[in-house]
């Protein structure tokens, strides 16, 4: 099913950072393969709101193995690994949201920390622009992309994950896909997003 994208729609590019790409400290397999489709989305479609998120952790963050967490150190604030990929076209990105800044709390969602209390401000930003539909892409499908899309749905936004513009850490995406569709998050593909010729 094709979807006509208008300037009222927003694109949210999740965590396209050096550490999550091949060669980084927490690389998502083939994460670099989604850079051309994401660039095509921002270049081809008339979104007026394009948000990029960044995981942005202190060096002793609770999610790191040295602190008893599940992950190798990644996206340490201000380091090159926390930068957005140099291959990502940032020309039309008008908002950057950073998350996971507090040592003792992680944040998979770009809306609210894992404590479900601390907000990033993204909700107010989008509501202020009267945005209704949100389209999600980036890394990683089974963590930050899905948590962000689920929160968006819960907050009342119509939410779409762009399947060919995301990649998962786990090789089995079925549980993530199931959780998303059960919650009413739609799955779509780049080629189904269209615009009117001008
Ligand atoms: C992420 C694991 C740890 C993500 C962030 O962006 O999906 N995953 N921190
Ligand atoms: Zn992280």
């Amino acid at each position: 099913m094709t979807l006509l994208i208008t300037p009222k729609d927003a694109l949210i590019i999740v965590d396209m950072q050096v550490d999550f790409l091949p060669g980084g400290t927490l690389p998502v397999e083939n994460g670099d393969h989604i850079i051309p489709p994401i660039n095509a989305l921002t270049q081809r479609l008339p979104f007026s709101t394009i948000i990029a998120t960044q995981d942005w952790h202190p060096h002793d963050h609770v999610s790191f193995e040295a602190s008893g967490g599940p992950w190798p150190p990644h996206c340490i604030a201000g380091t090159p690994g926390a930068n957005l990929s140099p291959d990502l076209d940032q020309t039309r990105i008008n908002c950057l949201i950073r998350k996971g800044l507090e040592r003792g709390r992680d944040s998979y969602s770009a809306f609210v920390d894992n404590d479900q209390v601390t907000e990033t401000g993204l909700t107010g930003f989008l509501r202020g622009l009267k945005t209704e539909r949100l389209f999600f892409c980036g890394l990683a499908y089974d963590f930050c992309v899905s948590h962000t899309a689920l929160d968006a749905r819960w907050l009342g936004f119509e939410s779409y994950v762009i399947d060919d513009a995301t990649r998962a850490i786990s090789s089995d995406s079925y549980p993530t896909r199931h959780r998303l569709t059960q919650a009413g998050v739609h799955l779509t593909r780049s080629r189904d997003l269209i615009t009117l010729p001008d």
Side-chain angles (χ1 to χ4, degrees):
M1 193 189 68
T2 59
L3 292 164
L4 181 65
I5 300 299
T6 79
K8 287 164 69 173
D9 298 315
L11 179 68
I12 302 185
I13 304 169
V14 177
D15 296 2
M16 287 303 293
Q17 292 165 273
V18 170
D19 273 343
F20 292 129
L21 294 166
T25 61
L26 178 42
V28 181
E29 200 180 337
N30 297 331
D32 53 330
H33 292 193
I34 66 175
I35 295 173
I38 293 174
N39 287 344
L41 290 166
T42 67
Q43 290 160 4
R44 178 174 73 83
L45 296 169
F47 298 105
S48 56
T49 304
I50 302 183
I51 293 151
T53 72
Q54 283 176 291
D55 220 27
W56 196 258
H57 298 315
H59 67 89
D60 54 354
H61 193 243
V62 64
S63 77
F64 297 171
E65 284 152 355
S67 312
W71 307 113
H74 62 276
C75 300
I76 296 172
T79 65
N83 288 341
L84 294 176
S85 164
D87 299 320
L88 185 72
D89 181 354
Q90 296 191 39
T91 6
R92 293 191 52 231
I93 294 173
N94 63 327
C95 176
L96 288 173
I97 292 282
R98 289 174 174 164
K99 59 189 174 59
L101 281 76
E102 295 291 329
R103 196 201 65 79
R105 273 200 307 272
D106 205 3
S107 185
Y108 290 146
S109 164
F111 288 98
V112 63
D113 279 8
N114 291 0
D115 66 5
Q116 302 298 322
V117 174
T118 314
E119 300 205 37
T120 60
L122 181 56
T123 314
F125 180 81
L126 292 168
R127 291 214 172 119
L129 293 172
K130 305 209 182 326
T131 312
E132 287 170 10
R133 296 193 303 184
L134 306 182
F135 292 81
F136 296 94
C137 60
L139 301 171
Y141 181 58
D142 42 351
F143 289 92
C144 291
V145 173
S146 60
H147 280 76
T148 303
L150 287 168
D151 275 358
R153 180 74 209 106
W154 188 83
L155 289 161
F157 296 100
E158 238 190 285
S159 302
Y160 297 82
V161 173
I162 308 166
D163 208 52
D164 56 296
T166 184
R167 286 290 183 282
I169 291 174
S170 161
S171 58
D172 180 11
S173 309
Y174 176 81
T176 301
R177 202 175 314 128
H178 183 73
R179 209 169 307 127
L180 289 172
T181 51
Q182 283 293 305
V185 175
H186 307 288
L187 301 180
T188 185
R189 300 171 297 186
S190 290
R191 66 169 178 274
D192 291 333
L193 306 183
I194 60 166
T195 182
L196 292 174
D198 43 30

